[in-house]
Amino acid sequence: MRFLFVVLLFLGNVMVTIAQNQDVEIAKTAASLEKKIIAWRRDFHQNPELSNREFETAKKIAEHLKKLNLEVTENVAKTGVVALLKGGKPGKTVALRADIDALPVTERVDVPFKSTVTTTYLDKDVGVSHACGHDTHIAILMGVAELLVAHKEALEGDVKFIFQPAEEGAPPGEEGGASLMVKEGVLKNPDVDAIFGLHIASDTPVNTIVYKPGGTMAASQRFEIEVKGEQTHGSTPWTGVDPIVISAQIITGLQTIISREMPLTQEAAVITVGKIHSGVRSNIIPETATLIGTIRTLDYNMQKKINRRLREMIPALAKSFGGEATITIESGLPITYNDPELTAQMLPTLEHVAGKTNVILGKAITGAEDFSFFQKEIPGFYFFLGGSPIDTEKTAPHHTPDFFIDESGMLLGVKVMSQLAIDYLKK
């Protein structure tokens, strides 16, 4: 028995030493890639492309993956790129995902690689920029691919790299994003067992990670309300029905659904009207008005109730003011749901790579992510990577002209994503 104990102790020490040596080698490889990763990010930042139009972005990604001798598939879900790395040993398949599209936002940040790209979006001339950090996601996953290729003999399974277009939403009338990738079979051939994704966060200090099991980002639905009144001269509103006044009453009514009917101590919910269009002149009360907005929910029962109450309230409010109104609600994005078992399984990896004090249990947010479509099919884990300079008190939100990311946080992203794949395949 004593001999057996000594043998087991010896083998345990050997395994620990092997693991420590592997950690050191992975850290060295990641560090050697940092300058390349930053250069890639700056190139993508300076040359952003909108959803379903990421042609040059996809070309650069594919060229890099082909140089690594991976099995590369292009034009997935229009402009997506997928690559398969076969590990040195048989096992499961894990997927790692990065989104690649930019936004119709004119950048104001004064950096040498500032975007000056312009385009026409929804009939308007706009600037284009990576105002949500997807450029960092691309560069991080390209670095992860190079790192894992360097250590592929130790991989106990396969890794699928998914570079996804149109996370911000396909243009009107087009399909795109994660839902189209799933429809086209990105999680098949080989079947993917689990998927990991990250998002850079401008309000989270560099070298920290924020995660949450269960619902971590909200479901999002787009709605459109058509209000019909009766056109008349602006000087005599009593001779018509004002759809703009009705719209104002509807907007107020929508907020009472949230503030008076939702159990907000259970989960958050938000209704936002982001666009109103009506009229052509200051002295004409128009016939119609259009309101466009979003519904954000972290609970599907709350979502159902909000949808029902909108369909009840809006026609009734319009009728009470002498007009008519209809609403259409799109199915939208599901809740970004971190599988609790998978999250618990991979938490030690986060803490090992980033340091336990740098891994923070966060709260759900009302932003939305189409990574959720992958999670509807297989277990997935999505977390946030710090991108705010440590000495900055206030940072610009995502989707704004002043959005800024500290590039020093990207190296941790490479290390964590790589180690998640390695450790998941081991288990």
Side-chain angles (χ1 to χ4, degrees):
M1 180 66 74
R2 180 180 176 83
F3 173 76
L4 179 60
F5 174 78
V6 172
V7 170
L8 291 174
L9 182 62
F10 172 76
L11 291 175
N13 289 335
V14 169
M15 295 301 293
V16 168
T17 301
I18 292 173
Q20 289 173 340
N21 289 340
Q22 187 182 49
D23 288 350
V24 170
E25 291 303 314
I26 289 171
K28 285 182 179 178
T29 305
S32 71
L33 293 171
E34 185 174 20
K35 289 183 179 179
K36 292 170 68 173
I37 293 162
I38 290 174
W40 292 331
R41 182 259 169 161
R42 293 184 178 185
D43 181 47
F44 290 124
H45 189 91
Q46 203 163 19
N47 300 282
E49 296 174 297
L50 295 179
S51 302
N52 277 1
R53 304 292 184 270
E54 310 94 330
F55 304 115
E56 291 303 314
T57 301
K59 183 179 177 181
K60 292 172 184 176
I61 294 168
E63 286 175 353
H64 172 69
L65 298 173
K66 288 175 182 176
K67 287 178 182 177
L68 299 176
N69 295 317
L70 298 175
E71 297 179 15
V72 179
T73 305
E74 299 177 72
N75 305 314
V76 182
K78 300 187 183 296
T79 51
V81 182
V82 179
L84 181 65
L85 168 60
K86 292 185 176 180
K89 303 171 186 177
K92 293 184 176 183
T93 299
V94 64
L96 307 176
R97 173 268 204 172
D99 36 14
I100 68 174
D101 53 333
L103 287 158
V105 175
T106 302
E107 183 173 13
R108 279 199 300 245
V109 181
D110 188 17
V111 292
F113 49 93
K114 175 181 178 179
S115 170
T116 58
V117 174
T118 59
T119 190
T120 302
Y121 178 76
L122 298 182
D123 300 322
K124 292 184 179 180
D125 293 333
V126 295
V128 182
S129 67
H130 273 291
C132 200
H134 295 185
D135 51 343
T136 68
H137 303 169
I138 304 167
I140 286 170
L141 193 55
M142 286 171 61
V144 171
E146 187 161 336
L147 187 153
L148 291 180
V149 165
H151 298 274
K152 68 178 181 179
E153 295 307 318
L155 286 176
E156 300 175 25
D158 301 336
V159 182
K160 187 174 282 191
F161 303 96
I162 299 174
F163 291 86
Q164 178 212 308
E167 187 280 326
E168 300 292 354
E174 297 183 20
E175 280 190 281
S179 60
L180 184 56
M181 281 196 139
V182 170
K183 185 188 293 186
E184 292 185 2
V186 74
L187 300 178
K188 303 293 182 182
N189 191 33
D191 290 347
V192 177
D193 296 287
I195 186 167
F196 300 116
L198 62 74
H199 204 302
I200 200 82
S202 68
D203 60 351
T204 302
V206 293
N207 297 322
T208 59
I209 288 172
V210 177
Y211 78 101
K212 180 186 176 296
T216 189
M217 296 186 77
S220 175
Q221 296 176 285
R222 180 185 182 275
F223 66 81
E224 188 165 325
I225 300 169
E226 295 292 341
V227 181
K228 186 176 181 182
E230 185 178 342
Q231 187 163 319
T232 190
H233 197 285
S235 65
T236 57
W238 54 86
T239 61
V241 176
D242 191 337
I244 295 177
V245 169
I246 294 173
S247 298
Q249 297 299 321
I250 287 174
I251 292 170
T252 301
L254 299 185
Q255 300 313 315
T256 65
I257 295 176
I258 298 298
S259 67
R260 291 297 177 266
E261 300 187 39
M262 292 295 107
L264 297 180
T265 55
Q266 177 181 321
E267 289 289 2
V270 177
I271 300 176
T272 297
V273 175
K275 181 178 181 180
I276 304 175
H277 177 74
S278 185
V280 292
R281 281 184 62 102
S282 62
N283 63 348
I284 299 175
I285 291 174
E287 185 173 33
T288 62
T290 302
L291 289 69
I292 300 173
T294 60
I295 306 160
R296 308 287 179 131
T297 49
L298 284 149
D299 179 277
Y300 286 120
N301 288 328
M302 291 169 67
Q303 183 188 70
K304 289 177 184 177
K305 183 174 181 180
I306 290 172
N307 285 197
R308 175 175 59 80
R309 291 294 290 125
L310 287 172
R311 293 188 177 102
E312 292 171 350
M313 178 182 285
I314 287 164
L317 276 172
K319 185 177 181 180
S320 71
F321 287 91
E324 300 175 8
T326 58
I327 182 171
T328 55
I329 305 173
E330 298 177 359
S331 56
L333 305 182
I335 295 170
T336 304
Y337 185 82
N338 283 336
D339 180 271
E341 184 178 340
L342 180 64
T343 304
Q345 178 183 337
M346 305 318 301
L347 180 57
T349 297
L350 299 185
E351 294 177 341
H352 174 69
V353 177
K356 195 167 185 177
T357 58
N358 295 320
V359 179
I360 303 161
L361 176 62
K363 296 182 178 180
I365 64 173
T366 47
E369 241 290 354
D370 75 349
F371 185 83
S372 53
F373 284 110
F374 299 124
Q375 293 173 311
K376 284 189 72 175
E377 304 297 319
I378 58 173
F381 178 49
Y382 192 80
F383 61 95
F384 298 93
L385 176 70
S388 171
I390 294 174
D391 58 352
T392 300
E393 293 184 5
K394 185 178 180 181
T395 57
H398 293 235
H399 291 217
T400 65
D402 300 307
F403 174 79
F404 176 80
I405 288 298
D406 186 333
E407 295 171 325
S408 67
M410 295 169 61
L411 180 60
L412 177 60
V414 174
K415 292 178 180 178
V416 170
M417 287 291 273
S418 300
Q419 200 66 51
L420 283 170
I422 293 167
D423 289 353
Y424 175 80
L425 294 176
K426 280 182 182 177
K427 297 180 192 306

